[in-house]
Amino acid sequence: MSGPATVAASFLDLLYDEEPRASFDEVVAEAGRAGAGPDELAELRRQYDVALRLRELIARQRAREAELSALYDTASDLTAIRDVDAILAAITRRARQLLNADMTYLSLNEDGDGASYMKVTDGALTQEFRTLRLPLGTGLLGLVAQSGAPYFTEDYQSDERFVHSEVIDDAVAGERIRAILGVPLVLDGRVIGTLLAVHRTVRPFPPSEVSLLTSFAAHAAVALENARLFAELDAAHRTMTEHATAVESAAVAHDRLTDLLLQGGGPDEVARVLSEVLDGAVAIHDPAGELVAGTAADDGWESAVAEAVASGRSVEADGSYVAVALAGTEHVATLVLHGRGAAMPRAERRTLERGALVTALVLLFARTVAQTEERLGGELLHDLLDGAAPDLLLRERARRQDVVLDPPLSVAVATADGVERHAAVRAAARIAGGLRGLAGEHRGAVVLLVPGEDALGVGERLRDAVQALGGVGTVGVARAGDELAPAYAEARRCLDSLVTLGRRGDVSDPAGLGLTRLLLGENGPEELGEYVEATLGPVVAYDQQRGTSLVETLEAWFATGGRVKDTGERLHVHPNTVVQRLDRVGELLGAGWRDPAHGLDLQLALRVHRLRRTTADG
């Protein structure tokens, strides 16, 4: 029989070799068969008990080591996940694997709401359970979420320690849940949620499982917070990237718009640059809504103009963006960005607003240039029309303004009824600019001087330009040689004749006036006054002495072809009044005044009388 030391070494060998318990029992049985005495068997059994306790301790340590290793690996895996939803799903899945549970689920507390909301489950059978809302303090989950301490129950439905709710109990019954272990998710001393593992059978939860799930929950809370912080960091990085991109785009837009200003670009160039930078189509409209440059947008943007003017900022309008170009308080243009297909960030809206500012500068600069050219051109035109010969100095001034003074030249003098005169002058200046001529206001009329001998064509263009403004243009024209003043005077007389004859809206040169040209000429017949006096004198004198309207009645009677009724309507008097006036004319001129031959003389005398009177009044 071997001694106690030998037996102890045998038990150690069995422990080292991880032999099953039957091998330990065999050592005791072998000693009994060998005839060991009572004291020796008692010592053997004591060593046997110690060996089994060591064996159980080693087994528990190895199990704990395996759990901790699994816990460490799981925690390491969780920290690598950066998406919040993915981390929630991973926590419940790994917890279920660690505890070999039938189901695991996780809820998060809502600040200020007094409840914990089910966020994710693993192994759930019903949809109702996945969407539970549990008031703090209600049920096992609500108690853990409120207290921040772990709780477990072997059979939830029969456990009276918890505040039961019909809704929660029905959901638990629907999942056939019996045993539940819940531990808190704690972050910086604050309970942010609850992690639970359940079994669908009645069973206890040993301290090792409670400790394991508690440790896992601690790692899970950190991993969840890390994921949230990573999400915020990613969002911040995206924001910074978008901001950097926007700043770079704004810088490019600023440089291109600055270059455009320095190079003297116009609205067309502004629209093109903004379209390219902002990835859309840009239209520039004048304050009246007429398209100035770019691609026209669909209707609907007009309603946002007033708000954009009031705020000084861009305004969204049915998928388009409206910005206004302001010069102080003056609205000079409207910019409309359309066709993007996506919302426009604030930085890009600022670029559109800067484009509106550049548009205002471009238009103001163009206006200043036009006003300067108009002033200089007007001064040169005044000098030429007042009789200055085109000497070297005047020709140099003309060259600087890109004006041609070499004959043949055409002069047009116009009235513009129904429109402001400065608007008509600008219309004439646009014609002059395209023909290398001059335009301006001279002695109350619009004057246009351009190279070429098609004076009537020039006059018709001027008349049409006034008509396009909503007015009526009457134009007298003449051709000029080396001296402009005589041609201007002749064109002016043509205009006065057209106005006198009531030919509003007509264009004529001296040849188009026929006999009227001779009657109005400076060298007309000396006996014209005597002719009028001899033919019409008594009627004129009667009107002057008594303030009557016999001359006007005669003009109306001839104009209506001798029809008394039509004459009365033209004069707004009764036909009997017309008859009475005509009888008075007969008394003054004699009975034969109605004869055709005498009638022609009377009509000519009436026309000369009116022309002479109008010329004298002018």
Side-chain angles (χ1 to χ4, degrees):
M1 173 96 186
S2 58
T6 303
V7 174
S10 178
F11 281 140
L12 289 174
D13 290 337
L14 293 176
L15 288 172
Y16 182 79
D17 293 336
E18 300 181 358
E19 293 292 338
R21 179 169 178 168
S23 298
F24 291 81
D25 293 339
E26 181 61 27
V27 171
V28 177
E30 178 64 27
R33 288 193 296 269
D39 293 339
E40 193 173 1
L41 286 176
E43 177 63 23
L44 181 61
R45 288 191 180 92
R46 188 186 66 77
Q47 293 182 5
Y48 169 79
D49 292 338
V50 172
L52 289 183
R53 287 199 300 272
L54 287 173
R55 180 178 180 277
E56 183 180 351
L57 178 60
I58 292 172
R60 288 202 303 270
Q61 291 293 338
R62 287 179 175 173
R64 181 62 175 168
E65 182 181 349
E67 292 173 352
L68 291 176
S69 177
L71 177 63
Y72 176 79
D73 292 341
T74 299
S76 298
D77 291 343
L78 290 180
T79 57
I81 302 175
R82 299 178 63 164
D83 180 74
V84 174
D85 291 334
I87 198 71
L88 290 173
I91 289 171
T92 55
R93 184 176 66 254
R94 295 297 184 87
R96 185 181 179 193
Q97 294 171 354
L98 283 175
L99 270 69
N100 195 27
D102 292 330
M103 179 177 67
T104 50
Y105 52 96
L106 183 148
S107 70
L108 294 178
N109 297 353
E110 294 290 338
D111 293 337
D113 195 28
S116 190
Y117 290 83
M118 194 74 71
K119 289 296 183 181
V120 62
T121 64
D122 191 80
L125 302 176
T126 62
Q127 180 62 31
E128 292 76 13
F129 194 83
R130 298 187 181 98
T131 58
L132 275 180
R133 173 186 179 276
L134 297 98
L136 297 182
T138 302
L140 187 146
L141 185 153
L143 184 59
V144 174
Q146 183 182 55
S147 65
Y151 281 90
F152 66 87
T153 177
E154 297 182 10
D155 189 358
Y156 175 79
Q157 295 287 26
S158 61
D159 197 330
E160 298 299 329
R161 294 178 300 161
F162 308 107
V163 178
H164 286 265
S165 164
E166 182 178 353
V167 174
I168 298 174
D169 287 352
D170 289 345
V172 170
E175 289 288 339
R176 303 197 300 274
I177 294 173
R178 304 304 293 271
I180 306 175
L181 167 61
V183 297
L185 296 171
V186 181
L187 184 67
D188 295 332
R190 180 172 58 90
V191 179
I192 64 172
T194 307
L195 178 62
L196 299 100
V198 305
H199 292 277
R200 293 189 172 94
T201 58
V202 176
R203 55 153 287 183
F205 287 95
S208 60
E209 291 187 353
V210 177
S211 176
L212 179 62
L213 191 60
T214 300
S215 298
F216 179 71
H219 287 290
V222 174
L224 183 59
E225 178 66 7
N226 287 342
R228 186 187 66 80
L229 292 176
F230 275 125
E232 293 181 356
L233 182 61
D234 290 341
H237 181 265
R238 286 194 299 271
T239 301
M240 290 180 62
T241 301
E242 292 172 357
H243 179 70
T245 302
V247 169
E248 182 179 358
S249 176
V252 171
H254 176 78
D255 291 344
R256 295 187 63 180
L257 291 172
T258 301
D259 291 342
L260 184 153
L261 279 176
L262 295 176
Q263 295 171 9
D268 288 324
E269 287 78 7
V270 174
R272 177 177 54 79
V273 169
L274 291 177
S275 297
E276 294 173 357
V277 171
L278 298 178
D279 192 25
V282 172
I284 300 179
H285 298 263
D286 65 16
E290 294 295 325
L291 184 66
V292 175
T295 305
D298 294 334
D299 294 337
W301 57 267
E302 296 90 344
S303 59
V305 174
E307 181 181 351
V309 171
S311 66
R313 296 291 187 182
S314 59
V315 176
E316 184 177 3
D318 195 21
S320 298
Y321 295 87
V322 178
V324 293
L326 297 174
T329 59
E330 181 187 359
H331 175 200
V332 297
T334 302
L335 279 70
V336 183
L337 174 68
H338 57 99
R340 275 179 58 93
M344 187 162 64
R346 181 175 297 275
E348 293 190 357
R349 295 180 68 165
R350 295 294 174 265
T351 297
L352 179 62
E353 292 163 7
R354 282 193 291 272
L357 175 60
V358 170
T359 301
L361 293 174
V362 166
L363 293 177
L364 286 178
F365 181 74
R367 180 191 299 178
T368 301
V369 170
Q371 291 174 345
T372 301
E373 291 179 347
E374 180 180 330
R375 178 177 58 81
L376 294 176
E379 293 174 355
L380 177 60
L381 183 64
H382 285 313
D383 291 341
L384 292 171
L385 298 183
D386 286 341
D391 57 15
L392 291 178
L393 180 58
L394 285 177
R395 290 187 181 279
E396 176 61 20
R397 289 168 59 188
R399 185 191 65 78
R400 291 179 180 178
Q401 298 179 48
D402 195 27
V403 172
V404 174
L405 294 180
D406 296 329
L409 298 170
S410 294
V411 181
V413 184
T415 59
D417 300 329
V419 297
E420 294 183 0
R421 191 174 298 163
H422 71 85
V425 170
R426 289 180 182 174
R430 286 192 289 270
I431 298 174
L435 298 176
R436 300 183 66 186
L438 289 170
E441 181 181 351
H442 189 70
R443 298 182 181 177
V446 180
V447 180
L448 176 61
L449 171 66
V450 297
E453 55 186 11
D454 185 11
L456 285 174
V458 172
E460 290 171 354
R461 288 190 60 178
L462 181 55
R463 178 195 60 190
D464 294 343
V466 174
Q467 184 177 351
L469 296 174
V472 177
T474 305
V475 188
V477 299
R479 296 179 183 86
D482 292 331
E483 295 186 5
L484 299 176
Y488 161 74
E490 193 169 25
R492 184 65 185 248
R493 284 194 295 272
C494 287
L495 172 63
D496 293 339
S497 299
L498 291 174
V499 173
T500 300
L501 296 173
R503 291 169 56 180
R504 294 175 69 249
D506 280 1
V507 178
S508 181
D509 58 5
L513 294 176
L515 178 63
T516 305
R517 177 191 179 194
L518 296 177
L519 298 179
L520 293 177
E522 294 180 354
N523 299 317
E526 297 179 357
E527 62 270 15
L528 279 179
E530 298 177 1
Y531 173 78
V532 172
E533 177 63 26
T535 307
L536 196 61
V539 177
V540 173
Y542 190 90
D543 280 347
Q544 292 174 347
Q545 294 171 3
R546 292 173 172 77
T548 54
S549 303
L550 298 183
V551 171
E552 182 182 5
T553 302
L554 274 175
E555 289 179 328
W557 187 76
F558 280 118
T560 58
R563 292 185 291 273
V564 173
K565 182 179 179 182
D566 292 345
T567 302
E569 291 177 354
R570 188 183 185 101
L571 297 174
H572 305 292
V573 298
H574 195 275
N576 290 338
T577 302
V578 175
V579 172
Q580 293 172 3
R581 291 180 180 178
L582 294 178
D583 289 343
R584 177 65 63 186
V585 169
E587 294 174 2
L588 295 171
L589 299 182
W593 72 271
R594 297 175 188 259
D595 294 341
H598 197 183
L600 177 61
D601 290 339
L602 272 177
Q603 291 184 62
L604 181 58
L606 286 169
R607 182 62 55 86
V608 172
H609 172 68
R610 174 171 290 278
L611 292 175
R612 287 168 61 85
R613 184 177 60 190
T614 302
T615 303
D617 293 342

